[in-house]
Amino acid sequence: MVTQAKPIDGQNLSPGNFSQYYYTKLLPTALMTMLTTDQYRVIFLYEYKLGHSATKALRNIKRAFGNDSVDIRTVQRWFQRFRSGNESLKSESRGKPKSDIRHDELNALVKGNPRTTVRKIGSELQTSPATASRHLKKIRKVKTMDRFVPYQINEIQ
């Protein structure tokens, strides 16, 4: 017994007319959302230069590229940036902030009390224990036998 395909959007999806549905409905929708972030940024700048508001720009973008293309908040953020005079389309780096831990200070703490814990080191340096631990590794201090000692490679290693 052959079952009839269920219609989608009022379309009968029999094998003969599926390709028509694919090329007229599905493919254009998929292509609309395939723009890169950089391409959207160019469109934002173009809309801004035309004097459109962020809302009107969003309406134009969604009409051309589909409802799932961009979010209103993204358009507003870029328009705010353009209004401030920054028309660069490059992202600002969002790297990790520089750490305030000085390695000589950390080394002095460990030498003063080699049996101290990472949690105490973190609280004394006003940072998290994870950050303190990461910096201890950078200055090559490891905890051995309940004390921090310099990491040294022996003949076996």
Side-chain angles (χ1 to χ4, degrees):
M1 178 172 143
V2 176
T3 59
Q4 187 72 0
K6 292 182 181 178
I8 298 177
D9 294 339
Q11 300 283 330
N12 183 7
L13 293 182
S14 63
N17 63 2
F18 177 75
S19 62
Q20 178 186 0
Y21 178 77
Y22 176 77
Y23 285 109
T24 59
K25 296 278 185 182
L26 295 179
L27 186 61
T29 304
L31 289 176
M32 283 190 246
T33 60
M34 292 180 65
L35 292 179
T36 65
T37 304
D38 292 338
Q39 291 168 329
Y40 277 120
R41 290 175 185 171
V42 171
I43 294 168
F44 298 155
L45 182 60
Y46 174 76
E47 290 283 338
Y48 175 77
K49 292 279 189 174
L50 288 176
H52 294 163
S53 67
T55 306
K56 184 169 183 176
L58 179 70
R59 197 175 313 124
N60 292 340
I61 292 167
K62 287 193 181 238
R63 187 177 329 122
F65 299 103
N67 285 334
D68 295 332
S69 53
V70 291
D71 186 61
I72 182 63
R73 190 62 195 115
T74 304
V75 180
Q76 288 171 342
R77 191 170 44 252
W78 280 95
F79 270 54
Q80 180 181 15
R81 183 175 175 168
F82 298 149
R83 275 192 298 274
S84 72
N86 183 0
E87 292 186 357
S88 170
L89 300 177
K90 300 256 186 231
S91 290
E92 296 169 358
S93 67
R94 294 183 177 191
K96 290 183 181 178
K98 295 290 182 188
S99 177
D100 291 338
I101 294 180
R102 292 183 35 220
H103 288 174
D104 57 341
E105 190 178 341
L106 180 61
N107 210 0
L109 266 174
V110 172
K111 279 186 181 178
N113 183 6
R115 292 188 183 272
T116 190
T117 64
V118 175
R119 187 173 290 177
K120 285 182 185 175
I121 292 172
S123 68
E124 286 189 37
L125 296 176
Q126 297 176 346
T127 188
S128 70
T131 303
S133 178
R134 190 172 56 251
H135 284 277
L136 283 166
K137 287 179 186 172
K138 283 183 181 178
I139 64 171
R140 301 184 61 86
K141 295 286 186 183
V142 293
K143 192 134 188 171
T144 304
M145 303 288 286
D146 197 33
R147 36 188 354 200
F148 286 102
V149 295
Y151 177 77
Q152 296 175 348
I153 297 176
N154 59 25
E155 298 81 33
I156 298 171
Q157 295 173 328

